[in-house]
Amino acid sequence: MRTNMENTSSHLMGSILKRSPFLPSVSLKTENSWQAIGEFATKASLMAVEVLLRTPHAEKGIFQLKEKFPDLKVGLGTVLSLDEFKRAEDCGADFVVSPGMTKELLDRAEEMEVAYLPGVMTPSEIQLLSSRGFWNAKLFPAGFLGEAYLKTLEGPYPHMRFCVAGAISEDTWSFFAQCVQVRSISGTWIMPQDALDETQTRAWIEKLETRHFQFSKFQSLI
């Protein structure tokens, strides 16, 4: 029987994921890419976006998104080290995402009570997170692990909730949406990475709205 409680960092992250069935991951290719991202997120009524730490424009882009689109939750992703975690704090990121985890990152998230989504793949990693009160995790690479693997985790870890990411596409996301422990689905395919014209934007938003409806329908049937 579990005796530990969910920690503040995990609770804050869970609140963000609850409002974000689809969590887009974006790379800011230029110093002004943030503007198109923010405008699309607003038009599509997205609640959160993960900016990947893969270009030199990520941190400044987060600052700009926070300033110009205050209702949007903006996180820094691909955070691998304690230094990068601190950089996420410095640029005002609302949450931090890692493909894996380290003791130092978990310690920092708990200490600073920052919304943190650590990455896991194995039951041992999940058990470690659980024992420390992190009950929300990024299952990565979920596409290679498969939905059958995810469903086997329901028995030993019924309290855990996952944001699934990695090798998931427009063709396979629906399989994961039918898993009770999936709280959110992440990927670069969810929203455009570049500016679109009005017609393209409308078509993309309609497709995203359909996915949100389907996700809700799947979850209601579980």
Side-chain angles (χ1 to χ4, degrees), residues 26-35 37-38 49 51-52 55-69 72 74-76 91 93:
V26 299
S27 293
L28 303 184
K29 300 176 183 178
T30 70
E31 62 178 351
N32 294 320
S33 293
W34 61 269
Q35 187 168 354
I37 296 299
V49 171
V51 176
L52 301 174
T55 73
H57 311 294
E59 293 162 81
K60 185 177 180 181
I62 287 178
F63 181 83
Q64 296 280 21
L65 282 165
K66 293 289 297 173
E67 182 179 32
K68 303 298 183 181
F69 303 93
L72 183 66
V74 187
L76 183 64
C91 69

Side-chain angles (χ1 to χ4, degrees), residues 13 16-17 20 23-28 37 47-54 57-63 65-66 69 71-79 84-85 87-89 91-98 114-117 138 186:
M13 192 68 233
I16 293 172
L17 295 179
S20 308
L23 179 62
S25 299
V26 299
S27 293
L28 303 184
I37 296 299
M47 301 299 296
V49 171
E50 174 194 1
V51 176
L52 301 174
L53 188 56
R54 297 180 183 176
H57 311 294
E59 293 162 81
K60 185 177 180 181
I62 287 178
F63 181 83
L65 282 165
K66 293 289 297 173
F69 303 93
D71 293 332
L72 183 66
K73 295 292 185 183
V74 187
L76 183 64
T78 324
V79 171
E84 291 175 351
F85 197 107
R87 286 161 60 186
E89 297 174 57
C91 69
D94 294 301
F95 59 97
V96 182
V97 183
S98 298
V114 175
Y116 181 45
L117 188 66
K138 174 178 180 175
S186 184

Side-chain angles (χ1 to χ4, degrees), residues 9-218:
S9 173
S10 179
H11 179 75
L12 291 171
M13 192 68 233
S15 296
I16 293 172
L17 295 179
K18 283 180 183 177
R19 300 193 299 271
S20 308
F22 290 94
L23 179 62
S25 299
V26 299
S27 293
L28 303 184
K29 300 176 183 178
T30 70
E31 62 178 351
N32 294 320
S33 293
W34 61 269
Q35 187 168 354
I37 296 299
E39 290 175 353
F40 179 88
T42 299
K43 291 176 182 177
S45 300
L46 288 168
M47 301 299 296
V49 171
E50 174 194 1
V51 176
L52 301 174
L53 188 56
R54 297 180 183 176
T55 73
H57 311 294
E59 293 162 81
K60 185 177 180 181
I62 287 178
F63 181 83
Q64 296 280 21
L65 282 165
K66 293 289 297 173
E67 182 179 32
K68 303 298 183 181
F69 303 93
D71 293 332
L72 183 66
K73 295 292 185 183
V74 187
L76 183 64
T78 324
V79 171
L80 307 178
S81 67
L82 186 57
D83 175 67
E84 291 175 351
F85 197 107
K86 292 177 180 177
R87 286 161 60 186
E89 297 174 57
D90 291 341
C91 69
D94 294 301
F95 59 97
V96 182
V97 183
S98 298
M101 63 173 175
T102 66
K103 179 181 181 299
E104 290 75 19
L105 293 176
L106 297 178
D107 288 345
R108 183 69 179 184
E110 283 191 275
E111 176 189 356
M112 302 305 294
E113 295 188 343
V114 175
Y116 181 45
L117 188 66
V120 295
M121 186 176 72
T122 68
S124 294
E125 292 169 339
I126 294 169
Q127 198 159 315
L128 173 61
L129 281 186
S130 176
S131 69
R132 295 195 52 165
F134 287 92
W135 293 359
N136 289 280
K138 174 178 180 175
L139 188 68
F140 179 85
F144 289 113
L145 297 171
E147 66 274 13
Y149 175 85
L150 180 55
K151 287 183 178 180
T152 64
L153 301 175
E154 295 174 13
Y157 311 111
H159 59 294
M160 292 296 296
R161 294 295 177 266
F162 299 103
C163 173
V164 293
I168 297 175
S169 69
E170 295 181 72
D171 298 322
T172 61
W173 72 266
S174 61
F175 298 113
F176 292 92
Q178 298 175 65
C179 298
V180 68
Q181 289 180 294
V182 171
R183 180 163 274 170
S184 183
I185 297 171
S186 184
T188 57
W189 52 272
I190 295 172
M191 71 178 291
Q193 304 290 304
D194 301 297
L196 304 177
D197 62 32
E198 185 175 343
T199 300
Q200 292 172 320
T201 298
R202 190 182 310 114
W204 202 297
I205 290 174
E206 288 176 357
K207 185 164 56 176
L208 187 54
E209 288 175 342
T210 298
R211 290 195 193 115
H212 274 96
F213 174 78
Q214 291 173 323
F215 189 102
S216 297
K217 184 177 180 180
F218 286 139

